[in-house]
Amino acid sequence: MKRNPELTVRPLAGLPMFATGMSIAQAICASLAAEGDRFRDGDILVVAQKIVSKVEGRARDLANFSASEEALELAGATGREPEMMQAILEESSRILRRTPAAVIAAHRTGHVLANAGIDASNVEGGESGRVLLWPLDPDASARALRAEVQNLCEVRVGVVIADSIGRAWRIGTLGTAIGCAGLTVLEDRRGRAQDLYGRTLQATVIGVADSIAAMAALAMGEGAEGTPAALVRGCEGWVTEEDGPGAVSGLRPIEQDMFR
């Protein structure tokens, strides 16, 4: 694939505090217009998971979770609130590890991460036990957002929904694609490209969607920056006509997982 020599990431400022039922696409189009810009063919819109969850009404009060026996046992083993443990259980297909610092869970979508993605940061009422769950289907959310942007702006774009996820063997979180539409998730270069010495690549599969999510996360920030979206330009070679298989296509099949 021919690489674009110039790749840019721009956080989108001036966005509102999103709430249930609001249109992310309309807000972002308005933000671009206020800056004298608009979406172009091949642009990639990266949005933080939190604003998608907010507009989809995924905020919950922990007090409304009734702890099961499994949640009580998990709370006893970790020293954490039973209601939070119940919320994690309800959002997970399997608990993989448990410590006082974090419960590592296989989310029901297949992603593996701490606390099943449940978080109170940047959530109004978080100090009182209000938390935000992931979208029910992040890939479907990405497809819907892409359709609305393309309808409003009559352009072909890619959409990534990103969240910060920790990685095995590494310290720190990394922006990761949990939902994706209109973008190549994996570029498989095995048998298709050569190295500098003419040897055919045998193992190289590039995580395109995750790389774009990580790059955008640096621009958006994790704290009080208030910029939960970014515009990526220069990656149009990976933007596709079809929505594609979504971020779940980048998850390693369980039979290839050497750590579970």
Side-chain angles (χ1 to χ4, degrees), residues 40-43 146 150 154-158 236 239-241:
R40 308 173 190 170
D41 278 330
D43 282 350
R146 183 191 195 216
Q150 293 191 148
E154 298 182 343
V155 292
R156 177 175 57 88
V157 300
E236 57 271 9
V239 176
T240 60
E241 293 289 344

Side-chain angles (χ1 to χ4, degrees), residues 3 186-193 195 200-207:
R3 302 291 192 245
L186 300 171
E187 183 185 342
D188 189 349
R189 308 199 75 197
R190 295 173 297 181
R192 303 178 183 180
D195 69 8
T200 301
L201 300 180
Q202 300 295 320
T204 302
V205 180
I206 300 172

Side-chain angles (χ1 to χ4, degrees), residues 11 28 39 66 88 95 113 123 138 145 159 162 170 199 216-217 221 224 226 230 249:
I28 287 174
F39 280 108
S66 181
I88 292 172
I95 302 300
L113 73 165
V123 177
L145 178 54
V159 168
R170 305 288 290 222
R199 292 188 293 266
S249 65

